[in-house]
Each structure stands twice: as C-alpha cells, then as structure tokens.
Amino acid sequence: MPINSQLVSIIIPCHNQGEFLNDTLESIQQQEYQNFECLLINDGSIDNSEAIGLKWQNEDSRFKYFEQKNKGVSAARNLGLNQAKGDFIQFLDADDIISKDKLSSSLKFLDNDESLDVVISNFSMFTGGIRNKTDPYCDLGAIKFSLESFLFQWQISFSLPIHCPLMRTRAVKSSRFDEELSAQEDWLFWVSIFKTNPKTAFINKTMAYYRNNPNGRTTRDYYEDQLLFTEKIKSYVNQDLYENFLKHRMFMYYEDVQKFKSKIRELENSRLYKLFKIYGRIMKKIRLKFEVNSIKTKAI
C-alpha cells in the first residue's frame, strides 16, 4: 500500500490542559501529511477541555473525541490505542506541539525501508509561546536506541519525550501502558517496545516541541512509582538482565549519595560556613547571658 494512503493515528490524552489544547490540535491540523485521525481522550477534565474537543470534532471529522472518568494518562493512552485504526501511531500530550513536517518527514523514512519500525525525531523545549524555545534536556543524537539503553541510561543520559517517535502499529502490537503507574509509565512502555528489538531510525531535526510547564505532571516526585517500576520490570526482561538492572540502579544511587556527601564536606569546609558557625556560637552565648540576666532581674 502506498505510504500516502496509509492512516496515522495520533493519540492525545488530556486532563485539565484546555489552555494549551487548541495550540496542540492546530499543530495536528496544519500537518503536511493530512491522512490522519486524531484521537483526543478527555481524562476526567473539569476545565474547558470537553468543549474544545467537541468543537474540533464537529468542525473536522478527522478529530475524534472520547472521554472517561479520571483514570490517569496510561488509561487514556490505552483507550486511544484500543480505538486507533491507523497503520502508524503518533503520541502527543495535550500541552505539547509537533512541527508541520513531523508526519511527512518521518513517513519518508518508513516508506524507504519497509523493515523500519520506529522513527524518532529530535526535540526542543519551549516556555509559553512556541517562539520561546530552549535547548532540549538531553542529546538524543548521542543515543543508540535499544533495550539496554532504555534500561541502563534512562534518566541518566536521556529520556524520550512521548511525541518524538512515529511507530508502525505492528511495533506496538499488544504493548500497553501500565495503569498502576502514575509516573514512569512511558519508561515501562518503551521497554516493552524495545525488548522486541524494533528497527529504529533517528532524524536529527527538531520536529517535536516539549512544553516546560511548571504545573505539569512530570514536575512532581513519584518515589513510590520508582519502587513499583522496579518490581514490574522484572516480568519484562530475563533474570540476568533484571539483576544487572538492579545492580546498575543501586550503583547509581550510591554514586548520588557519595556526591551529596562530598557537597556537604565542601560546604562544611567553606569559609562562609565556618563564619556562620562562629556567628551561631556567639549568638548562643549572648542568648544564654540574656536569659541569666532575666532570671536575676526576676529574682530581685
């Protein structure tokens, strides 16, 4: 089947991101490649996301609106995967943007190589408007995408924004996002994809834009999910790889502790810290002297 007749399913979960949603959907509508379906999944939003989604659905039949009670981003993406009819899958969060040539440029790679499963583009950050771009938080061009890199380098050398890849639907197969995780769900998803050793290409061109949103979900601490992820990944890889993963993580955390201790020692040896200690001792003597004088005054 010619590549230009194949359908791309774009899956967008949304939870109270109505203020950004029109910009995100406009970046879809403006794609050079127009044979797409955009599945917007409203995950129990209480803002204007529903009104925006229904408006887009009524004005353009390629935009399809779904809603569910708030179950989390994993459940929303899974609903999108279950409803998708496309030959290719493109994820996009409701506050992010893709360039107008994201689909067309990625599909050219896939058209030239039938064995290619995943095409990953580069990305940049932005704050507020799309013109306020900043450098990406990692260098994807330096990464060799494989199961090992996702296991041992994730959050160390890189993490992969969900909207950078375009995948053939066959590469996703039965992979789904773990709905018990409220963080690290994308990490586990990529492990499930790359354990099948998909053929992957990288386009060193910025075509995905990641919003630096201070109120975003990823700014919160998910320590419990880190532990839960460590338990869950055991069923995704063989025993030797799992043990190596645990050793690697333990060593990484040990290094972090040692670096923290080193910083504490540097602080304690600094001139400013010593001056503060001297100041503290002086203030303590003054306070004790004041308390003694106060007791004497009351006695008189």
Side-chain angles (χ1 to χ4, degrees):
M1 184 184 296
I3 201 80
N4 58 7
S5 65
Q6 297 187 56
L7 182 67
V8 178
S9 294
I10 304 167
I11 298 171
I12 305 178
C14 179
H15 179 67
N16 294 334
Q17 294 160 303
E19 63 177 307
F20 309 118
L21 189 53
N22 277 315
D23 289 343
T24 300
L25 298 179
E26 283 175 6
S27 78
I28 300 299
Q29 192 176 54
Q30 294 169 2
Q31 287 297 299
E32 294 173 349
Y33 188 83
Q34 290 283 297
N35 190 18
F36 63 80
E37 61 172 3
C38 179
L39 310 178
L40 176 62
I41 317 298
N42 183 359
D43 181 39
S45 299
I46 57 173
D47 63 356
N48 61 343
S49 297
E50 178 182 4
I52 294 171
L54 290 173
K55 176 179 179 293
W56 278 83
Q57 178 177 253
N58 292 334
E59 293 179 356
D60 189 331
S61 61
R62 296 172 300 177
F63 290 82
K64 302 174 182 179
Y65 175 80
F66 302 87
E67 62 182 17
Q68 63 180 23
K69 293 181 180 179
N70 181 222
K71 298 179 182 179
V73 66
S74 293
R77 287 175 182 154
N78 287 341
L79 176 56
L81 284 170
N82 293 338
Q83 295 291 333
K85 297 179 173 62
D87 305 285
F88 304 93
I89 300 293
Q90 170 71 60
F91 291 108
L92 179 60
D93 284 345
D95 55 352
D96 294 333
I97 288 173
I98 56 175
S99 66
K100 65 181 181 179
D101 60 338
K102 173 70 163 66
L103 299 183
S104 59
S105 296
S106 302
L107 287 168
K108 284 179 183 177
F109 275 73
L110 292 158
D111 191 27
N112 290 332
D113 186 352
E114 177 61 31
S115 66
L116 193 59
D117 298 298
V118 182
V119 174
I120 298 172
S121 73
N122 217 333
F123 75 103
S124 70
M125 312 285 288
F126 73 101
T127 303
I130 189 64
R131 293 183 179 180
N132 299 321
K133 300 184 186 72
T134 56
D135 292 335
Y137 56 74
C138 65
D139 180 11
L140 292 182
I143 304 301
K144 182 181 179 181
F145 297 100
S146 65
L147 176 59
E148 286 73 19
S149 65
F150 279 95
L151 280 175
F152 301 121
Q153 293 303 314
W154 185 268
Q155 293 180 330
I156 300 172
S157 301
F158 82 106
S159 59
L160 182 62
I162 198 71
H163 55 322
C164 287
L166 176 68
M167 299 176 286
R168 292 190 194 272
T169 302
R170 73 186 185 202
V172 179
K173 295 180 181 177
S174 59
S175 292
R176 292 296 184 268
F177 293 88
D178 192 304
E179 296 182 18
E180 289 189 74
L181 291 171
S182 57
Q184 309 300 345
E185 78 289 334
D186 52 340
W187 186 9
L188 197 59
F189 179 77
W190 293 128
V191 169
S192 73
I193 295 292
F194 278 84
K195 74 176 184 178
T196 65
N197 194 31
K199 187 173 182 180
T200 305
F202 176 70
I203 304 176
N204 195 11
K205 179 181 179 182
T206 300
M207 294 190 287
Y209 298 93
Y210 186 100
R211 185 183 297 273
N212 185 15
N213 180 8
N215 298 317
R217 182 178 62 95
T218 53
T219 61
R220 304 201 301 260
D221 183 18
Y222 286 99
Y223 176 70
E224 290 184 4
D225 281 286
Q226 292 275 359
L227 295 177
L228 184 57
F229 172 87
T230 302
E231 294 176 9
K232 285 181 173 292
I233 201 169
K234 186 175 183 178
S235 63
Y236 284 74
V237 297
N238 62 48
Q239 185 65 27
D240 288 343
L241 202 53
Y242 180 67
E243 289 178 2
N244 288 336
F245 168 77
L246 291 180
K247 291 175 183 177
H248 178 77
R249 287 285 145 174
M250 288 174 65
F251 180 73
M252 183 190 73
Y253 294 137
Y254 173 78
E255 280 194 322
D256 287 343
V257 169
Q258 294 305 113
K259 288 177 182 178
F260 180 75
K261 288 181 177 179
S262 178
K263 291 291 184 182
I264 293 296
R265 286 193 294 269
E266 288 178 13
L267 177 62
E268 290 175 343
N269 291 328
S270 68
R271 180 177 176 82
L272 183 61
Y273 180 82
K274 291 176 180 178
L275 288 173
F276 269 114
K277 286 191 72 175
I278 294 171
Y279 173 78
R281 287 195 292 268
I282 293 172
M283 292 303 296
K284 185 176 181 180
K285 289 180 180 179
I286 293 173
R287 186 166 58 250
L288 287 173
K289 185 175 182 180
F290 176 78
E291 290 173 353
V292 170
N293 290 336
S294 295
I295 292 171
K296 289 179 178 179
T297 302
K298 289 180 181 179
I300 294 172

